[in-house]
Amino acid sequence: MLKMTKPRIVEVFFAWYEGGVLRKIGDLALAILVGLLIGSLLVFSSGLSSSWQAAILIIPIALAFVMIFQNLERLILAAIAIGIPLNIDVSLIISPYARNPVNLAQGNRTLIALTELRISLILVLLVFGYALWLVRLKSTESKPVHFFWGITLPALGLIFFEICSVFFAQDQQLSLFRIEQLVEVFLAFFYIANHIKTSADMQFFVLVSLGALLMESALMSFQWVTGWTFQFAGIDSSLAEPGRISGTMGNSGPAAGYLSGMLLIACAALGGFQKKSYRVLAAVSFLLGVVALTSTGSRIGWIAAGVTLPAFVLIGLWLGWIKREFIPIVFVGVLAFGLLFGPGIYTRFTAADNGSADARPMMWNLALKIISANPWLGVGSGNYALATKEYYSTDIGRANEVIDIQVHDAFLNVWGESGIFALLAYLGVLGAAFMKAWACIKSPSSFISLMGVGVSLGIVSMCIQMVTGTFHMRAITIFLWFIIALAASLRNLRDQGDAELERQS
C-alpha cells in the first residue's frame, strides 16, 4: 500500500495551528469582528444614556484584551490595577437626600458621592472574577483559598458593625449605599490577595500598577500645564478646584492619596526589579508621579510623602538594599525639586485658603460632640451629614457648609457613624496589614523585602492622610484596600518561601 504523506504546506499549517499562532490570530479577528458589530450598535444608540454608551464602548476593548492575554485571572488583576485611577462607575440610584437647593435649605449638606448607589467597573470585573474562581475551585487543579484571618476577621467585623449602625440611621438607604461600597472594596482585597500567589504574579501586578501610575501622572502633569479637561466613556478628568489637579480620580485629595502611595511602590520596584527595562519604568513613573503629586495642591498628601519617602530611603540603607553611593543622587534630586516647586509649595502652606485649615478643628469638635452622644453604634453609616444639624452649636465655630458636610478625619467619621467597635475593627485591619507587610522586610528577596517596606509605609501614608481627609470616595477607598491586599499577599509569599524571582535574576 502506498503511504499517504501530507504536503509540506499542510504540515506547516498544522504546526502553526497547534502552536497557537493561527488560533490567536483567529481569536483576535473574532474580537475585532465583535468590536465592529458592537461599534455599529454604538453608532445607532442615540437613545441610550451616555453611561450605557460608555459601557457598550468598553465591551469590544475588553474582549480584545481577553483574546490577547489568554489568562483571565491576570486580565482581571490588570484591569483592577488600571481601573483604580480611571475611576469608572455608573449611578443607578439617587437618594432623595442628594445635594439640591431644597436639602441645602433644610441644612442637609450631603455629599454627592454618598447619596448615590454607583456601580463601578471594578465591581463588574469582580463579579466575573469570583464566578470564574468558583468554577476553578471545583476542578482538581484548584489551589486552596487563603483567608488571611488577621485582616479578614476585623474587616468582617467592620462590615458587621456598619450593618448594625443601620438601625440608628435617619435614612437607611444612605447606609446601604455606604455598606455596598465597603463590601465592594473588601471583595477587591480578598480577590487580589488570593490571586497573587507567586513573586511573578506580584511582579506582573506591580508592573501594571506602575503603568497606570505613569498614565495618570502624565495626564495630570499635562493638565497642570495646559488646563485641559475631557470626558470620555465614563472617564472624567474635569478640575474639581481651580489650580488643583485631580486627573481622573474625581478630587485632588484622593489623587494625592493614590500618588503618594504609588510613589512608595515605585521606589520598591526601582530597587527590587532585576530587569533594567522594569527599573526604567519604575523610575519614570516615580518622577512623573512626584510632579503629579505636586499638582494636586494637597498639603496633607505632601506631608505624607515627605515623611514616608525619606523613611523608605533610610530603611533601605539599613537593610542594605540601597547603597550609600545613591545618597548624592537623592540629594541632587531633592535640591532640583526644591528649586522647581519649592516656591509654589511654600505659598500653598502660607497663603490664605478660605478657612479650610481653620475649619478642621471645628469639624473635629462637632464630630466629638456627636460621638459623645452616640459612642457605641454611631448615628448610622452614611448618615453623618443628616445628624450634624442636631448637634451643631455656636461654641463649635462659625456655621458654614464646610463644618457639617463631613468629618475631615476618616477615623472620627467611622466612630461617629458606626461606633467604637467599628473604629476598633478598622484600626485592626490597618494594624494587621502593616504588621504583615513589615514582617517581610527581612526576606532574602530584594523585591519582596523592598515591597514590604513600600507597602507598610504606604499604609502609614494613608493613615497620615486619614487624619485630615474624608476617605469617602470609592477611588481612594479601594486604593487603600489595594495596599492592604498587597500586604496580605506579600506575607503569603514569604511564608511559602517563594524564590522564583531570585532564580530568574
Side-chain angles (χ1 to χ4, degrees), residues 68-80:
I68 294 170
F69 265 78
Q70 298 288 313
N71 187 320
L72 286 175
E73 286 86 356
R74 282 202 167 185
L75 173 63
I76 293 171
L77 284 175
I80 290 173

Side-chain angles (χ1 to χ4, degrees), residues 2 33-34 103 150 158 172 194 211 216 294 297 324 342 345 441 450:
L2 294 175
L33 176 61
V34 173
N103 281 322
L158 174 60
Q172 294 181 344
N194 266 284
E216 183 71 15
T294 308
R324 294 183 182 275
I345 293 175
I441 67 171
L450 288 173

Side-chain angles (χ1 to χ4, degrees), residues 266 270 278-288:
L270 183 59
Y278 294 172
R279 294 199 300 270
V280 170
L281 172 63
V284 175
S285 300
F286 177 84
L287 293 174
L288 275 177

